[in-house]
Amino acid sequence: MRARRVLKTTGIVVALAVLLFVFGWVPYFLGGVATTRRIVYNDRENAGLTPATFALPFEDVSFQAADGVTLKGWWVPAPQPRGTVILVHGLNRSRIEMVKKVPFLHARGWNALLFDLRHHGQSGGGVSSFGYFEKEDVHAATALARARSAGPVVLWGVSLGGASATLAAAEDPSVGGVVCDSSYRSLRDTVAHHITLARSWRWWMRVVPSWPVGAEVLYWIGRRGGFDPDAVDVRGAAARLAGRPCLFVCNSGDRRMPAEIAFELKAAAGERARVLVVPGQSHGGAYRDATAAYESAVAQVLDEVGTGSFRMAASH
């Protein structure tokens, strides 16, 4: 009898420990990884590159977001510029992810501003927020670009950068156009999707059900990051881009950000928006995978913005 009671008690303790692990520690841990842990991706593809690598003049710049976070970047001027393109990198990356795009922009007569988002690279800040605070970084970069040079501003971002660019442009109707590559629909949607993916990536995640753990992770992301996760609504922001040239880019086999997201964002953004689908399974690698097609599609956006045709179309 006593042995049976001990066995039963042990079973209850083990069951409670598993429940605490699955529904307590795992969501708290993942919420912290997503927001407060500073993860640096080993970007071998772009390591050591600067605009000088491509024989382009550039200047180190430092500026502040509205909440005082210091941001670091590179200003790459073009002679007789048509405007400025602000390049916004993805999660756990830095400005070097975008540097190979600069020669293309320079050749077409556009200044480029590359910078590290908060909590990334050489910039300050202690939290990542999937666009909630990062859009303020983009606003600050836009203000710097306008102070430096006349002409329209175009935002070009990848993944987190694409989401942040879209969220910022939705709040700033003077932004001329947007290139949004490999973004998510919303934070709520992408957390649920990535919890499902993680169950195939990590053995210990196989015991973690997508629901309700996804909702718990979202709660801890908001709590530990200090923001409302439901305010990160990229599809809702895209609906406020109507009348402006937009390009939504995806890789056909991207498991993290499936291709249908780009089409949904395009539908929200209206008739001036286009979609570029690049064959391949990479996430955020479309420019590398199909450089000529990508540059041609971006050139269309830049030409429309540069000539002001989007303003005429929007007024009709």
Side-chain angles (χ1 to χ4, degrees), residues 27-33 35-36 127 219-227:
Y28 179 82
F29 171 76
L30 293 177
V33 168
T35 54
T36 61
V127 165
Y219 167 80
W220 282 115
I221 285 175
R223 184 71 180 270
R224 300 188 71 174
F227 67 98

Side-chain angles (χ1 to χ4, degrees), residues 27 45 67 130 142 228 284 296 313:
E45 182 181 347
D67 59 359
F130 297 89
T142 301
D228 177 8
S296 177

Side-chain angles (χ1 to χ4, degrees), residues 99-162:
V99 72
K100 288 181 179 177
K101 302 172 177 66
V102 175
F104 157 71
L105 296 172
H106 193 268
R108 297 195 69 84
W110 289 77
N111 303 317
L113 173 59
L114 311 79
F115 72 100
D116 297 332
L117 290 166
R118 66 182 60 209
H119 205 221
H120 289 81
Q122 296 179 4
S123 291
V127 165
S128 294
S129 63
F130 297 89
Y132 184 88
F133 294 123
E134 289 83 358
K135 71 178 185 295
E136 301 303 325
D137 302 346
V138 179
H139 286 319
T142 301
L144 176 65
R146 290 184 175 130
R148 288 282 181 130
S149 181
V153 172
V154 174
L155 307 179
W156 182 355
V158 176
S159 195
L160 165 64

Side-chain angles (χ1 to χ4, degrees), residues 11-27 207 209 213 216:
I12 292 172
V13 170
V14 170
L16 289 173
V18 170
L19 289 173
L20 182 62
F21 172 79
V22 171
F23 298 108
W25 182 83
V26 168
V207 301
V213 171
E216 292 181 276

Side-chain angles (χ1 to χ4, degrees), residues 106-303:
H106 193 268
R108 297 195 69 84
W110 289 77
N111 303 317
L113 173 59
L114 311 79
F115 72 100
D116 297 332
L117 290 166
R118 66 182 60 209
H119 205 221
H120 289 81
Q122 296 179 4
S123 291
V127 165
S128 294
S129 63
F130 297 89
Y132 184 88
F133 294 123
E134 289 83 358
K135 71 178 185 295
E136 301 303 325
D137 302 346
V138 179
H139 286 319
T142 301
L144 176 65
R146 290 184 175 130
R148 288 282 181 130
S149 181
V153 172
V154 174
L155 307 179
W156 182 355
V158 176
S159 195
L160 165 64
S164 301
T166 304
L167 291 165
E171 295 181 348
D172 184 354
S174 67
V175 167
V178 174
V179 178
C180 176
D181 182 341
S182 305
S183 176
Y184 31 89
R185 298 179 182 91
S186 67
L187 181 51
R188 180 173 291 276
D189 178 77
T190 202
V191 166
H193 178 64
H194 279 75
I195 290 292
T196 300
L197 287 180
R199 297 179 71 216
S200 64
W201 294 342
R202 298 286 186 269
W203 67 265
W204 55 269
M205 284 292 294
R206 293 172 192 165
V207 301
V208 177
S210 299
W211 187 92
V213 171
E216 292 181 276
V217 171
L218 195 71
Y219 167 80
W220 282 115
I221 285 175
R223 184 71 180 270
R224 300 188 71 174
F227 67 98
D228 177 8
D230 285 324
V232 182
D233 180 3
V234 183
R235 184 164 48 189
R240 297 163 63 189
L241 303 179
R244 286 180 272 179
C246 299
L247 175 66
F248 296 98
V249 183
C250 59
N251 280 87
S252 61
D254 184 355
R255 293 183 64 200
R256 293 185 57 199
M257 308 297 170
E260 59 262 27
I261 295 175
F263 287 92
E264 292 178 23
L265 297 178
K266 184 266 182 193
E271 61 182 16
R272 306 287 296 177
R274 304 181 183 89
V275 172
L276 173 66
V277 181
V278 172
Q281 297 184 334
S282 69
H283 172 65
Y287 186 80
R288 177 197 62 232
D289 297 341
T291 304
Y294 201 130
E295 289 182 347
S296 177
V298 173
Q300 285 186 275
V301 173
L302 298 179
D303 288 345

